[in-house]
Amino acid sequence: MQVDATRRGAREAETLSIAFVVPLQGPTGLYGPSCLTCGQLAVEQLNAADGIAGRRVELVVVDAGRSPEAVAEEVGSLVDQGRVQAVAGWHISAVRVAITRRVGGRVVYAYAAMHEGRDDTPGVFMLGERPVNQLLPAVHWMREQLGVGRWAVVGNDYVFPRVTAATTRAALEDSAAEIVSETYVPLGTTDFRGVLDGLDPGRVDGVIMLLMGQDAVRFNRQFAGRGLSGSLVRLSPAVEENTLLGGGAGAHDGLYAAAAYFDGMGTAESTALSRDYHDRFGPWAPALNAVGESCYEAILFLARMGRVCGGVDVADVAAMTSGQFYDSPRGLLRLDGNLLNQDVYLAAARGLEFEVQQQIARTT
């Protein structure tokens, strides 16, 4: 028995286990398959080399599609028991806040999703896009190129949409664009008739969609069904290829998205990931998109931390100094405190795909 325990302890010491927190149900469960395949690809590539800081990598999947409290409790239990040594993944910011409250400062946390701003909890790294380099440049582009100045915000009712809208409203003061109205609905909303009734093309030129997953799919279908696509544009920091597939080809005329990654955007770095992904999972793999890629990004960020710091314990991260540049499928990234500066692109939906229009923010 003692020999078995010793062997088990040695194996655990040689393995870095990551709580991989991604949605598998609920409105954001739409993203789950892409998250899982991208996470698997990252782990396979790392383990084919030297893992993270010389340790073999494994993912312990935690379903982020449940209530924030339930997700945080499962992650907390894994950390309490020593079964995971880091946290990574894509999930809504309400889940991030709950996880940080439960285990913040105890393990490194690579948060992959776009977000509303800085979180100064020790060990937390915010790797996604944020309003200053995503939504605001997109709004300015829409004003200059399409003449869209009056916006209605339609978002899910939690911290990211509300803070993002407030940040955007404040940033647009004294500019040629403005937010005319804001409407928030619970996650899981299926009927948007009341919201659509309030979208008057005489008062607004476009809709900033801060809706997640299946909610965005339903909104887009109903929006197009009302015939609003011809009179109002839509702009989203969260719509990706799975959302287009879910909505169908006819639901996306006049829909634009801003993100640091799109499948097929044609850069050398993104093309390499696309090739590796489709070689590994085949032509019927889940859609490669910004959400899945962000999960790949988060795991590779932990690997970079291991190389720079010698490990991924919270005590090690002081060596992860601000100002570092490195390459990723998104292109050149720069660490700014616990945030990442990155290139961001604006793309137009063309049926079930995106066509990149312009780079709207650059790594600084």
Side-chain angles (χ1 to χ4, degrees):
M1 294 291 289
Q2 182 62 43
V3 172
D4 288 344
T6 300
R7 287 175 177 168
R8 185 169 61 252
R11 180 186 178 281
E12 290 174 354
E14 294 169 356
T15 300
L16 179 71
S17 296
I18 302 169
F20 189 48
V21 188
V22 296
L24 304 180
Q25 61 180 295
T28 56
L30 182 75
Y31 309 133
S34 298
C35 294
L36 293 174
T37 47
C38 286
Q40 181 180 342
L41 179 63
V43 168
E44 289 177 358
Q45 290 178 338
L46 289 173
N47 286 341
D50 60 352
I52 295 179
R55 300 169 70 181
R56 179 176 177 80
V57 185
E58 69 174 12
L59 300 181
V60 179
V61 176
V62 176
D63 180 6
R66 300 166 295 161
S67 72
E69 295 74 21
V71 179
E73 186 52 40
E74 182 173 351
V75 173
S77 179
L78 290 169
V79 172
D80 292 345
Q81 297 170 38
R83 292 182 56 197
V84 299
Q85 293 78 51
V87 179
W90 189 103
H91 35 274
I92 65 172
S93 53
V95 172
R96 186 199 79 238
V97 170
I99 292 174
T100 302
R101 187 179 300 120
R102 179 67 168 80
V103 300
R106 296 171 58 193
V107 292
V108 169
Y109 184 179
Y111 182 63
M114 69 275 179
H115 57 89
E116 62 278 3
R118 190 179 297 275
D119 183 330
D120 292 324
T121 304
V124 173
F125 288 87
M126 311 281 277
L127 307 181
E129 307 93 333
R130 57 197 192 276
V132 68
N133 71 348
Q134 185 184 27
L135 192 58
L136 289 173
V139 167
H140 290 310
W141 187 94
M142 302 282 278
R143 173 64 185 176
E144 293 171 0
Q145 300 298 320
L146 304 178
V148 178
R150 301 171 301 168
W151 292 97
V153 170
V154 178
N156 286 124
D157 192 5
Y158 69 97
V159 59
F160 169 73
R162 285 189 173 275
V163 173
T164 297
T167 301
T168 303
R169 181 189 287 276
L172 293 180
E173 289 182 3
D174 301 321
S175 78
E178 63 177 329
I179 292 177
V180 174
S181 67
E182 298 178 40
T183 304
Y184 299 96
V185 299
L187 278 163
T189 294
T190 59
D191 186 348
F192 287 91
R193 282 179 294 182
V195 177
L196 296 171
D197 288 342
L199 296 178
D200 178 4
R203 294 185 61 242
V204 298
D205 307 312
V207 179
I208 294 175
M209 290 174 51
L210 301 176
L211 299 166
M212 300 296 120
Q214 196 64 39
D215 288 20
V217 169
R218 293 190 177 103
F219 179 83
N220 284 332
R221 287 176 181 168
Q222 294 171 37
F223 185 94
R226 282 285 189 99
L228 291 171
S229 300
S231 53
L232 298 175
V233 299
R234 284 161 287 170
L235 170 63
S236 173
V239 167
E240 42 64 71
E241 286 79 357
N242 278 311
T243 311
L244 299 188
L245 290 171
H252 307 119
D253 290 345
L255 173 63
Y256 293 80
Y261 182 90
F262 294 94
D263 188 23
M265 66 185 187
T267 64
E269 298 87 352
S270 66
T271 299
L273 174 60
S274 181
R275 181 192 63 240
D276 291 347
Y277 182 84
H278 292 292
D279 283 351
R280 171 63 181 86
F281 298 109
W284 306 112
L288 182 56
N289 54 51
V291 174
E293 188 276 339
S294 73
C295 292
Y296 180 92
E297 196 78 54
I299 295 169
L300 265 62
F301 179 83
L302 293 176
R304 178 169 181 81
M305 180 177 293
R307 289 193 295 273
V308 172
C309 304
V312 295
D313 291 339
V314 172
D316 297 326
V317 302
M320 201 70 177
T321 54
S322 185
Q324 296 182 47
F325 286 90
Y326 68 96
D327 292 318
S328 87
R330 299 185 175 198
L332 186 66
L333 305 179
R334 177 180 177 272
L335 189 65
D336 179 11
N338 71 334
L339 307 176
L340 277 184
N341 286 332
Q342 53 207 291
D343 298 341
V344 177
Y345 302 83
L346 187 77
R350 301 288 186 246
L352 301 180
E353 298 179 344
F354 283 108
E355 180 181 285
V356 173
Q357 304 296 293
Q358 188 168 320
Q359 184 175 346
I360 56 174
R362 296 184 181 277
T363 303
T364 57

